[in-house]
Amino acid sequence: MANLVVLIELVGERPHPGSLELLGQARRIGSSLGATVYALAPCVAAPSYSQDDLIVVLSRHGADKVLLATSDVFAGPARWGTHGALVLAVCAALPPTLLLLCTTDAARDLAPRAAAHLGAAFLADGWIDIDGEGLALFDGSGEHACRLDGELDFPVVAMVPPGRYRIAAGDDEAEVEVVTAPSVVESEFQEIDSVPQEPSAVVSGGGAAAEELASALHGVIASNGAARGRLAVALLPGSGDPKDLPAWRRAETRVALGVGACEFQGARYAVEGESADLAAALARAVAAADRPPSGNGNGNGNGNGNGNGNGSGSEDGTGNAGGTGGSDSASGVVS
């Protein structure tokens, strides 16, 4: 028998209206297809047994069974770090055909991660309906809606915006099962290994000119196994077919140098000529651009409280400035 699990988000001690709407739609689907509807209700403490307690409300609005989990970690807003372990534990014990969440900030954190852990299809803007003797599942609305076709041999996690379905009403009494809340997820974030830094450039072609250019560009030779660089330079002839150059295909900027450069597929910049000469000239230009500017300057000045002064300078880096006026004076040299 199929299981339909609705995560009930609480506002204070009351179910979120959107959660009750989803519970109602799950009830209609469950009645049509013979599925069991579970209302998963994480809360801080067990509800009191009264006419309007949480269990009674969920029973009246469509739940066959209420899965009650209590823990202090459920006091704050629902999120993966506090509620994720519970959702996964319930789905492991009761593999759902559908796991339904009302679209809230909590669902945006929980639903995609739950889908990833379960290997489930994920509907970010779900429509959950009945079509003949089966389910009709859509993601999106209008002409942009996509239907999930075929027999479901995998779970589906769906977020459904509030206001999409009617709240169900009845007088059936649901069974209650207390679920032991598992330990919270160890970490809300999973560290990944650092990604190796890509070279700034990859030069394809051999010889001293290619090595000199790769060095000037702080890059590597393509034959050294570099898969990608932001800049790819192909020295022609000798670089081979562009289709066989992963670094060329994946680069953001592609430069071809040499005979046939203008015809080299995918080149953004192309310069015809002898590739060795062009590569050497480009390497020298890059090295010159990387070289810090040099210069020297000398200055002296005299000043007083009146602030009168005059100065002169030249473009070769030398300069003199002077000022005359009362008895205060100063001189200095800068280089």
Side-chain angles (χ1 to χ4, degrees), residues 143-324:
E143 61 181 9
H144 301 294
C146 297
R147 178 166 181 167
L148 186 61
D149 290 322
E151 294 293 330
L152 292 181
D153 54 0
F154 49 83
V156 176
V157 177
M159 294 196 309
V160 180
R164 188 157 287 182
Y165 298 109
R166 292 180 293 107
I167 293 178
D171 55 7
D172 294 337
E173 185 175 340
E175 298 179 25
V176 179
E177 182 177 344
V178 177
V179 179
T180 301
S183 301
V184 298
V185 177
E186 293 182 2
S187 174
E188 296 188 56
F189 304 96
Q190 181 179 359
E191 294 185 4
I192 60 175
D193 295 333
S194 59
V195 178
Q197 186 175 0
E198 296 175 346
S200 59
V202 179
V203 179
S204 58
E211 294 180 0
E212 180 185 5
L213 180 56
S215 176
L217 293 171
H218 307 290
V220 296
I221 300 296
S223 59
N224 291 346
R228 177 175 180 174
R230 294 187 297 274
L231 169 66
V233 181
L235 303 185
L236 308 174
S239 288
D241 192 323
K243 296 190 296 295
D244 299 327
L245 300 173
W248 180 264
R249 298 196 308 270
R250 299 172 182 172
E252 298 174 11
T253 304
R254 308 180 189 95
V255 178
L257 304 176
V259 178
C262 293
E263 304 298 327
F264 201 65
Q265 183 179 358
R268 182 169 183 180
Y269 303 98
V271 182
E272 293 278 354
E274 291 296 328
S275 60
D277 295 339
L278 293 172
L282 180 56
R284 290 193 299 270
V286 171
D290 285 345
R291 190 179 304 124
S294 61
N296 58 76
N298 296 282
N300 59 76
N302 299 288
N304 58 35
N306 294 326
N308 298 319
N310 57 77
S312 63
S314 62
E315 294 180 353
D316 62 0
T318 64
N320 298 281
T324 62

